[in-house]
Amino acid sequence: MNKRGLILVISGFSGVGKGTVVRRLMEQYKQYALSVSVTTRPPREGEVHGKDYFFISEEEFSVMEAEGRLMEWAGYVGRHYGTPRDYVFERLDEGKDMILEIEVQGALQIKEKYPEAILVFVAPPRAAVLKERLLGRGTESVEQVEKRLLRAVEESESMGAYDYLLINDDLPTCVEELHQIMQCEHRKMRVNGELLDDIKLDLKRFVEGE
């Protein structure tokens, strides 16, 4: 029987490289799975239903939210996004550690509803490095980069609500530290109740048998 997985929430400033960290983590270790969000926006070219997102209607989204089938949700430019509870919990039961790569707003919703979730915030070593990475993507204007930096200032106010802080200075180191965090979480007493009971029962039977 697989040991039940844990919920790992990853957040970080735009451009910090959290997506790259998650991809590398999943490439190196098979215990992780990435949650697939639902969205009411139409698919972009090349996107696959069930892989990139679950593409649903506004009506379907409203029903999921009303029935409590979303772990967290948010609206953005007229569309809605959310994390489907059943999808996540089915894989937790399979023994997978489920990664939710979401923004601060959703992460705090998760923490409120599921206090056992592990929240990790990924930050750059310095603000200047973050700006360099944003500019290096070549997908945004200097003005857009400045807006993202201002957004990072706002998001930084919520970092203290997270359980762990990771500095993405060196990618391999960051990935390994994240994996070690999860290894330690799996050793905590609160998630090992069944094993504790087995150890105590084994000791009792052994001593009584003598």
Side-chain angles (χ1 to χ4, degrees), residues 45-59:
E45 185 176 354
E47 288 185 328
V48 178
H49 177 78
K51 179 182 178 183
D52 299 289
Y53 286 95
F54 293 109
F55 297 98
I56 63 176
S57 67
E58 287 288 349
E59 291 75 17

Side-chain angles (χ1 to χ4, degrees), residues 70-152:
L70 295 175
M71 297 176 69
E72 57 83 28
W73 66 273
Y76 181 71
V77 293
R79 303 294 185 178
H80 290 95
Y81 298 79
T83 301
R85 186 185 186 281
D86 290 348
Y87 182 88
V88 170
F89 276 73
E90 285 171 6
R91 280 144 192 84
L92 289 176
D93 290 339
E94 293 170 359
K96 292 288 188 180
D97 288 335
M98 287 301 297
I99 302 172
L100 280 58
E101 186 186 333
I102 52 181
E103 295 187 2
V104 170
Q105 178 185 353
L108 297 182
Q109 288 183 48
I110 293 291
K111 193 65 175 179
E112 183 177 352
K113 294 179 182 178
Y114 308 95
E116 72 277 11
I118 301 125
L119 271 60
V120 177
F121 198 95
V122 183
R126 295 173 303 282
V129 172
L130 183 62
K131 184 174 183 178
E132 288 172 8
R133 291 176 182 175
L134 286 167
L135 290 171
R137 296 196 300 195
T139 57
E140 296 163 293
S141 66
V142 174
E143 182 182 36
Q144 289 172 319
V145 168
E146 292 299 331
K147 287 181 179 179
R148 290 196 180 276
L149 290 173
L150 288 174
R151 175 63 178 163

